[in-house]
Amino acid sequence: MTAPSPTGSTPHSPPPPARPAPGPAADEGLARRLRALACTAPLHDLDVRKANLAGEYARYAMAEVALAAIDLVTLSMDFDTGADQEQVIARLLPRIAAQAPTRPAVEHRRVARWVVDNLINVGSVDRGFRAVYGTFGPGGEYTRRDYDFKLIEEVQGPGGEVYLRTTDEAVNVLVGALDTDVTSAQIAAEVKLEVLINRGRLADAQLAAEQARYRTVQYAETLRRTLETTRRDVRAVDWLQTIPDLINEALEHIADRYRHENAILTHIRHARDEAVDPEHKLRAAELVDIVRDCIRRHTQLQSRLLEAGPLFRAEQDRQAFATPAARVDTDLYGQLLAPLLPLPLGDAARITDAFFARGTGPRPPGAVRLADLTEWLFTPPVPREHLGVELPEPELVATPDDSRFSEAQLSEATRLLRLPPDAPRRLSGLLAEARAIDGELPHLIALLAAHAASPPVGTAYRQGERRLLFAVDDGTPLDDPHFGGADLIVGTALLDAAGMAAARTENTA
């Protein structure tokens, strides 16, 4: 007999199954890094798919153009508006032309539009991207998850214009972080900016200032989406604790940033005035513009934060007293009466009992209290007449007949439009024939033909109609002295009688 090994297994026993390595494999940090890679995948995919374009597009660095486009859209975003797509394309042209100066300008514009459309993901249904990654659960099981995100999205502005706005994922691609707390990232970026300015490293300070501005844009975007969600449904946002805390923290954050950015602005101006190197002066001047833009964005964000509370109260009042959404009523004739008429009385009574038991609203019983019960029992009955009270004599007024068309004209129009199913006619021919009969008849024919352009097929089907008048526009203009528009093809369609009978049977079942 073989002695067991120190590990507790015999030499011929299979090794124990390998378990996932603890630590990073089961950590949320791995999922964060996978999502970070997913956000950059559409940019790398542009350079892969440019070989499929018809033309010499290999010389263009599509990922570089995409990053520049995201940068332009982010810096052009305002609280209510975004970037105009044509302006973004126009500002991308110099960068694209520098990559291929010998190529025509038409090709440069085509590349810019192709990159922007792919960042919006125009070809997809929801205009978003999806990545699949895996995570380990507490028990070591491996689960695949979908990560849906967008880089640039089209948003309708207050005046109906369509603007481009970058998402949080796009800003994270620019800054080089993912799911970073906005407030802490903003403070860290501005402290880093101040240190770099004090040390005279203006080139690195400009990069830090741009990152701080991106975080400011992301903070405003978070507030804007919260207010948009509030306008749609106040119940979808926690205005009891989460949003008030967010507004208070944001206002404190802005007050701190004002003091910090003004101090930074003073240091930059001093560095700009004291610098001898022209390159340092240029960097300092650019830094002044960036920090001024940050101050402007913080001022705008502060005004929106102060308006958030009144907006919530106004939306709460508006949505609380809004008219309820219209609902489609039951077609009593087509869905209940018509299917019941051919049935025996016993089967029909069973269906009507079930319908009225569920179709009528619940009747809450009266609250029985001892005081009410005592009052009802001791109240003497009111004497009534045997035949009830005398009804007042109604005053009947004849309704004037203000219809334009008579019954005879309607009958004549119905006869003209009773066409064979295999012989449709043009509207121009029907108008000419109606004009020969009566001068007012063509107006009625035109109204009936226009109504038949969108025939109520479902209603006619439920009500058991055998024939249905329809009109189709094939693009032929109408040649008539009194009417304009399209020369419709007017015809009669036969409805499926077997299908209607099956539908009635299914309704009654």
Side-chain angles (χ1 to χ4, degrees):
M1 182 174 181
T2 305
S5 62
T7 58
S9 61
T10 63
H12 301 287
S13 62
R19 296 179 58 84
D27 191 12
E28 177 64 21
L30 177 62
R32 293 162 68 92
R33 292 194 295 271
L34 291 173
R35 291 197 297 267
L37 289 176
C39 291
T40 62
L43 276 66
H44 301 297
D45 188 54
L46 294 175
D47 283 317
V48 175
R49 291 190 294 110
K50 69 182 179 181
N52 300 330
L53 299 176
E56 300 180 5
Y57 293 93
R59 66 185 66 192
Y60 295 104
M62 298 298 186
E64 178 183 337
V65 177
L67 278 175
I70 294 175
D71 195 353
L72 290 174
V73 174
T74 303
L75 298 182
S76 301
M77 284 167 47
D78 207 342
F79 198 89
D80 293 323
T81 61
D84 183 77
Q85 183 171 352
E86 296 302 325
Q87 293 182 2
V88 172
I89 292 174
R91 296 177 65 182
L92 284 175
L93 292 180
R95 177 179 293 273
I96 299 173
Q99 296 181 1
T102 60
R103 302 302 297 170
V106 177
E107 183 176 289
H108 297 161
R109 182 171 291 274
R110 189 181 303 118
V111 170
R113 189 172 298 278
W114 183 75
V115 169
V116 173
D117 288 345
N118 279 273
L119 290 176
I120 303 173
N121 205 3
V122 174
S124 62
V125 177
D126 59 348
R127 300 200 170 186
F129 301 95
R130 170 171 293 183
V132 180
Y133 66 97
T135 59
F136 287 96
E141 67 276 3
Y142 183 75
T143 305
R144 293 190 179 274
R145 301 182 183 277
D146 293 335
Y147 176 50
D148 296 319
F149 64 96
K150 295 181 180 180
L151 295 179
I152 296 180
E153 56 184 354
E154 295 175 318
V155 179
Q156 187 174 2
E161 306 88 350
V162 177
Y163 297 102
L164 300 182
R165 299 187 70 93
T166 53
T167 60
D168 292 341
E169 292 81 5
V171 176
N172 286 327
V173 169
L174 270 176
V175 179
L178 184 72
D179 294 342
T180 308
D181 180 66
V182 177
T183 306
S184 60
Q186 180 79 10
I187 296 173
E190 292 184 350
V191 171
K192 178 182 177 182
L193 175 61
E194 185 179 13
V195 172
L196 292 174
I197 291 172
N198 292 334
R199 293 182 180 181
R201 299 170 57 183
L202 296 183
D204 296 335
Q206 182 176 358
L207 178 60
E210 291 175 350
Q211 292 180 352
R213 181 165 56 177
Y214 293 145
R215 288 302 176 190
T216 302
V217 173
Q218 191 175 13
Y219 210 120
E221 185 69 9
T222 302
L223 178 63
R224 186 188 66 85
R225 291 183 178 179
T226 301
L227 297 181
E228 280 190 356
T229 306
T230 302
R231 291 187 181 96
R232 290 193 297 268
D233 187 4
V234 294
R235 297 171 297 180
V237 182
D238 181 14
W239 280 91
L240 185 62
Q241 183 175 0
T242 304
I243 302 304
D245 293 344
L246 173 66
I247 292 175
N248 293 332
E249 292 174 3
L251 290 174
E252 295 176 359
H253 161 79
I254 290 174
D256 294 338
R257 298 286 68 75
Y258 274 145
R259 293 189 294 268
H260 202 78
E261 287 166 354
N262 286 321
I264 291 175
L265 196 58
T266 303
H267 286 296
I268 298 173
R269 288 170 178 167
H270 180 73
R272 179 193 60 188
D273 297 337
E274 296 294 332
V276 179
D277 188 0
E279 182 69 20
H280 277 225
K281 281 187 175 292
L282 179 61
R283 293 285 186 184
E286 292 176 353
L287 278 173
V288 170
D289 293 337
I290 294 175
V291 175
R292 281 178 177 172
D293 186 52
C294 288
I295 295 175
R296 181 189 64 83
R297 291 179 183 274
H298 279 137
T299 304
Q300 186 183 42
L301 180 60
Q302 183 187 27
S303 64
R304 297 295 180 177
L305 287 170
L306 296 177
E307 296 173 359
L311 184 140
F312 162 69
R313 290 188 289 270
E315 288 297 325
Q316 187 180 36
D317 294 341
R318 183 184 65 84
Q319 297 179 24
F321 298 102
T323 305
R327 295 176 175 84
V328 180
D329 296 331
T330 304
D331 187 0
L332 294 178
Y333 179 86
Q335 297 178 353
L336 183 64
L337 181 58
L340 287 181
L341 289 178
L343 297 180
L345 182 60
D347 297 339
R350 178 174 56 84
I351 296 174
T352 54
D353 292 342
F355 172 80
F356 287 107
R358 294 169 175 81
T360 57
R363 183 187 304 169
V368 179
R369 298 184 303 170
L370 182 60
D372 298 334
L373 184 60
T374 304
E375 182 180 357
W376 292 341
L377 291 176
F378 282 94
T379 300
V382 179
R384 300 180 180 178
E385 297 289 339
H386 180 66
L387 298 178
V389 298
E390 183 179 359
L391 296 177
E393 187 70 21
E395 297 181 2
L396 302 179
V397 179
T399 304
D401 186 8
D402 55 354
S403 59
R404 178 176 179 180
F405 305 104
S406 62
E407 293 292 337
Q409 289 174 333
L410 180 60
S411 301
E412 192 66 28
T414 305
R415 183 188 65 80
L416 289 176
L417 295 176
R418 191 179 293 112
L419 304 173
D422 56 348
R425 295 185 59 183
R426 289 279 184 185
L427 178 60
S428 56
L430 292 172
L431 293 176
E433 185 176 350
R435 191 173 288 111
I437 299 174
D438 188 351
E440 291 291 326
L441 195 58
H443 295 274
L444 183 57
I445 294 292
L447 288 175
L448 294 176
H451 181 70
S454 179
V457 181
T459 303
Y461 193 86
R462 290 192 302 268
Q463 294 183 359
E465 300 290 341
R466 302 294 180 179
R467 305 163 66 92
L468 181 66
L469 186 68
F470 69 91
V472 179
D473 180 13
D474 63 344
T476 304
L478 178 60
D479 185 10
D480 190 88
H482 297 93
F483 299 96
D487 195 359
L488 302 175
I489 299 176
V490 184
T492 301
L494 298 179
L495 299 182
D496 185 11
M500 286 187 287
R504 293 195 193 96
T505 305
E506 183 178 354
N507 291 334
T508 56

